[in-house]
Every structure is written in C-alpha cells, then in structure tokens.
Amino acid sequence: MSWVEQIESWDQQLFLLLNGQHNAFFDVVMYWVTNKYVWIPFYLLLLFLLQRKYGWKALLFALPAIALLITMTDQTTNLLKHGVGRYRPCHNLDIQSMVHLVVDSCRGKYTFVSGHSSNSFAIATFMGMLFRHSNKKWLWGLWLWAALVAYSRIYVGVHYPIDIACGALLGIAYGLLIYKGYTYLLKRQNLYPV
C-alpha cells in the first residue's frame, strides 16, 4: 500500500468514525447547519457590524471584496474537485453502505476539497481580521463557527476530514489575501486603523 493509499484509508476510517456518531436530534441540527441559506441572517449581521464599525464606505468596499472571495473559493474548489476526481463518501462504493446520509441526496460526484469549508473559513478569516482590532476573540469565534459548518459536511455524509481540513486552509489563505487587499484600499481612503 502506497503512502497516498494509507492516508486515504485513514481518512475513510476517521470519516466513518465521525459520521457514525449520530442521533435523531443532531441529524436535524446538522441538516440546518450545513444549509448555506440558513446563514444569510448571520452574514447580514456581520455586514451590519462592519458598517457600524467602519462606516458606509467601508461596507461598500467590502461587498465586492466578499464577492471576489466567494468566487475565488468556489472556482478553486470546483477545479480541485474535478482535477483530483475523488468520490464523495456517499458515492464511494467501498463505504457507501456505511455512510449515514442526512441530506436529501448525495449531490455532486467529487469531494476534494470542501466548498462549504473553504467558503466558511474564507469569510471567517476576512471578517475576523477586520474585527480583531476591537477584540481578538472575533477571529477565534468566527473560526469556531466555520469549523461547525465544516464538520457538518462530515456529519451529513458528503465530505471526508481531509476535504474539510484542506478546504479550511484554502479558505484561510484566500481570506488573508483578500483582507490584505481590502485593508490596503481602506487605508488609502483613511477608513481603516493601522
């Protein structure tokens, strides 16, 4: 067995362990946690807080920055999924019968990397970095939220732990990149503290 096959085997075993820890209550909770539309009020709250902290101009700069951030993470995860071609747990014939699937269906064939994980960590990093001047706990709190969303993808049966971890790293990298560009623009407009 090659080292790649060994890592994939460990990843499947960890997935089955985590996905196997389920009950009726958390099936409902994680069904909603994994639904991206449920988080729209949370995103609006973050934008409201951004406007309160830095003003309308900062918010107007933030909207295209966030759109670019989501586009970059979505496009990269789609390229990786089709480039790597690793089947989702719910499509993997070796373990398919052992997967506890919570979502309505197993959409999409491929799994690496998780779009939910990369998007959540990108938003958490970008917004957390913006708010860290008032309280460093913002970044950790938002990363905790992103971790919950990412974990929900394992729980509902559609991603392996490595998909989640690599998606998180991708999201953090893009979040930091867009944060740097955004703050550069705000500093040029004297809208952001150094």
Side-chain angles (χ1 to χ4, degrees):
M1 179 181 291
S2 72
W3 65 273
V4 173
E5 292 170 328
Q6 183 62 62
I7 290 172
E8 192 168 283
S9 173
W10 290 336
D11 195 28
Q12 284 182 6
Q13 290 171 30
L14 182 56
F15 166 79
L16 290 170
L17 175 71
L18 295 172
N19 179 256
Q21 307 300 314
H22 57 84
N23 62 46
F25 174 76
F26 280 108
D27 283 1
V28 173
V29 170
M30 290 300 177
Y31 176 84
W32 290 107
V33 167
T34 207
N35 184 323
K36 61 186 173 187
Y37 299 111
V38 166
W39 295 106
I40 289 174
F42 179 68
Y43 301 143
L44 293 174
L45 174 63
L46 290 175
L47 292 174
F48 171 75
L49 293 172
L50 179 67
Q51 185 277 325
R52 294 278 304 204
K53 183 162 182 57
Y54 297 113
W56 285 105
K57 279 188 179 180
L59 177 63
L60 292 177
F61 276 107
L63 294 176
I66 293 168
L68 177 61
L69 184 63
I70 299 305
T71 301
M72 288 170 59
T73 55
D74 278 347
Q75 293 305 310
T76 304
T77 57
N78 286 332
L79 283 171
L80 286 169
K81 282 178 185 177
H82 292 284
V84 172
R86 184 181 189 201
Y87 286 109
R88 288 185 184 270
C90 46
H91 286 305
N92 182 334
L93 297 178
D94 294 336
I95 64 168
Q96 190 176 42
S97 63
M98 297 179 270
V99 174
H100 177 69
L101 191 61
V102 174
V103 291
D104 298 333
S105 67
C106 187
R107 296 186 187 127
K109 256 195 236 187
Y110 303 122
T111 186
F112 183 85
V113 297
S114 167
H116 277 70
S117 181
S118 64
N119 284 335
S120 298
F121 273 95
I123 290 169
T125 301
F126 177 73
M127 297 303 284
M129 292 295 288
L130 290 174
F131 291 129
R132 82 183 197 290
H133 291 289
S134 44
N135 189 337
K136 293 187 187 301
K137 292 179 183 175
W138 266 102
L139 182 59
W140 292 104
L142 288 170
W143 275 349
L144 185 63
W145 159 76
L148 175 65
V149 172
Y151 172 75
S152 76
R153 304 304 286 166
I154 297 170
Y155 187 96
V156 301
V158 296
H159 280 293
Y160 295 103
I162 285 179
D163 306 335
I164 299 305
C166 291
L169 292 174
L170 177 69
I172 290 168
Y174 279 157
L176 288 172
L177 179 69
I178 296 299
Y179 164 77
K180 291 290 188 188
Y182 175 77
T183 54
Y184 172 78
L185 290 175
L186 288 188
K187 286 174 186 174
R188 287 186 56 120
Q189 299 290 321
N190 295 318
L191 296 172
Y192 189 75
V194 177

